[in-house]
């Protein structure tokens, strides 16, 4: 099947990056969020991101304005009728995603594919919320989407070969590289990455080193391009906590318990870059 129109649900950190990348690759994009404020923030984030690309000579002014022209925003999920692929990138909660899939099912054609960008929730479980479970698949993008090359493609038990073939081709069309991963909590990359970040929070909480030293240690000692706590701020502390809670619940293993400091920071609303404060302050950024 040919994909030309894409719907993205959730205009937060990931949704706006996914919308930008799809539009930059020539796809018409409808970006949907329940929050008008999230949509206008997303437009301004995409504007700035494309501006930076023009300034760095990655794209020209024409490509920038063409990409922006291909994106429309809406607070009504009904605006997704007629899209060939829906990429769900709403908040990491099973109830939210299940309800979205239910609703999308009523709106899109039977041939449309529904992909979830979930970081940790079972694709098999999400597919079970759909009338057409064979058309549900995981497409796990990485943050920041315009920069990061990888997409993990995850087949649920019900996902058809045809769906996998279509999203693999689409991933190449948006100039990303895909890897195929089995449906397991956190898939491959987050299963390794998120417990590492959680452990960095334990190291901070136990006073073993400061946030700056932990990050410096991992950059200079392990050649990571970004320290785990700065990365936590980029990802969003609420998202990380949700992922650890899924691991803890799913694997029933105490090694996945979320760090108490991570929980407390989320309770305080210190969510990282998106709230202006996390392990570092971004109030003047
Ligand atoms: P976010 O909190 O930045 O944005 C989520 C957006 O979803 C918000 O704007 C919210 O208003 C919107 N939303 C909530 N319920 C909705 C609904 N019913 N309909 C439409 N919009 C709705 O979250 P995020 O970091 O962009 O994460 C989104 C998804 O991507 C999550 O599943 C997360 O696990 C996954 N993910 C996140 C990262 C990351 O680094 N942040 C990386 C890969 C995958």
């Amino acid at each position: 099947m040919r994909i030309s129109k894409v719907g993205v649900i959730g205009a937060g950190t990931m949704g706006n990056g996914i919308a930008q990348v799809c539009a930059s690759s020539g796809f018409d994009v409808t970006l949907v969020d329940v929050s008008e404020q999230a949509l206008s923030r997303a437009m301004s984030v995409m504007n700035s991101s494309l501006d930076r690309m023009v300034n760095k000579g990655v794209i020209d002014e024409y490509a920038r304005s063409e990409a922006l022209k291909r994106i429309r925003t809406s607070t009504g999920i009904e605006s997704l009728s007629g899209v060939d692929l829906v990429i769900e990138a709403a908040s990491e909660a099973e109830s939210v995603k299940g309800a979205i899939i239910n609703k999308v099912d009523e709106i899109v054609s039977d041939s449309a594919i529904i992909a979830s960008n979930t970081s940790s929730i079972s694709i098999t479980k999400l597919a079970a919320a759909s009338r057409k479970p064979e058309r549900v698949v995981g497409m796990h993008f990485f943050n920041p989407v315009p920069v990061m090359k990888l997409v993990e493609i995850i087949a649920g038990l019900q996902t058809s070969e045809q769906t996998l073939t279509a999203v693999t081709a689409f991933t190449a069309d948006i100039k990303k590289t895909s890897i195929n991963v089995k449906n397991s909590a956190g898939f491959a990359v987050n299963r390794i990455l998120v417990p590492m970040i959680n452990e960095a929070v334990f190291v901070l909480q136990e006073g073993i080193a400061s946030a700056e030293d932990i990050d410096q240690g991992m950059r200079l000692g392990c050649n990571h391009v970004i320290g785990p706590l700065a990365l936590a701020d980029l990802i969003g502390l609420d998202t990380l906590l949700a992922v650890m809670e899924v691991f803890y619940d799913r694997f029933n293993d105490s090694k996945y318990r979320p760090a108490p400091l991570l929980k407390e920071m989320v309770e305080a609303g210190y969510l990282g870059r998106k709230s202006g404060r996390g392990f570092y302050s971004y109030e003047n950024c």
Side-chain angles (χ1 to χ4, degrees), residues 33-267:
D33 201 292
V34 282
S35 152
E36 192 71 66
Q37 202 188 356
L39 288 170
S40 56
R41 188 163 182 269
M43 283 315 296
S44 103
V45 170
M46 289 187 282
N47 255 297
S48 317
S49 169
L50 289 164
D51 276 348
R52 276 196 302 278
M53 290 169 92
V54 171
N55 292 338
K56 285 185 186 161
V58 179
I59 57 170
D60 60 19
E61 185 53 49
Y62 178 75
R64 172 192 178 282
S65 70
E66 284 301 297
L68 287 170
K69 269 193 232 161
R70 287 189 203 106
I71 303 169
R72 62 183 189 122
T73 61
S74 172
T75 51
I77 205 161
E78 296 73 21
S79 60
L80 296 182
S81 68
V83 304
D84 310 302
L85 168 68
V86 173
I87 304 176
E88 173 284 308
S91 314
E92 185 73 355
E94 204 176 302
S95 55
V96 171
K97 292 181 188 295
I100 287 174
I101 290 172
N102 257 219
K103 189 81 191 149
V104 168
D105 254 359
E106 293 168 11
I107 294 161
V108 298
S109 74
D110 279 355
S111 61
I113 292 174
I114 306 176
S116 175
N117 184 47
T118 177
S119 304
S120 59
I121 301 168
S122 164
I123 299 300
T124 299
K125 213 170 193 182
L126 292 178
S130 169
R131 273 186 307 117
K132 289 259 171 189
E134 67 278 13
R135 301 231 159 243
V136 177
V137 66
M139 280 185 83
H140 185 228
F141 289 79
F142 288 78
N143 183 12
V145 182
V147 177
M148 303 302 280
K149 286 267 166 231
L150 184 68
V151 177
E152 285 179 304
I153 294 182
I154 305 107
L157 206 56
Q158 314 93 319
T159 311
S160 68
E161 276 305 319
Q162 201 188 4
T163 300
L164 286 175
T165 305
V167 293
T168 303
F170 174 78
T171 305
D173 286 344
I174 57 169
K175 301 169 195 73
K176 300 288 181 198
T177 302
S178 57
I179 59 170
N180 296 310
V181 181
K182 266 177 83 171
N183 182 45
S184 172
F187 317 124
V189 175
N190 276 348
R191 173 80 177 273
I192 300 164
L193 176 71
V194 179
M196 190 272 288
I197 294 174
N198 190 51
E199 201 59 33
V201 183
F202 271 113
V203 171
L204 178 70
Q205 170 189 311
E206 290 168 22
I208 294 167
S210 67
E212 289 78 4
D213 282 353
I214 291 167
D215 280 352
Q216 170 111 304
M218 294 304 283
R219 278 189 281 108
L220 302 187
C222 300
N223 229 4
H224 289 190
V225 289
I226 183 169
L229 299 173
L231 182 56
D233 283 354
L234 188 70
I235 294 171
L237 272 52
D238 51 342
T239 300
L240 286 170
L241 176 59
V243 175
M244 285 307 295
E245 280 169 344
V246 169
F247 286 175
Y248 193 36
D249 178 56
R250 197 82 185 184
F251 299 118
N252 209 6
D253 186 334
S254 64
K255 78 177 174 182
Y256 295 114
R257 71 208 181 286
L261 176 61
L262 180 63
K263 285 186 173 174
E264 206 173 350
M265 289 183 72
V266 172
E267 281 167 5

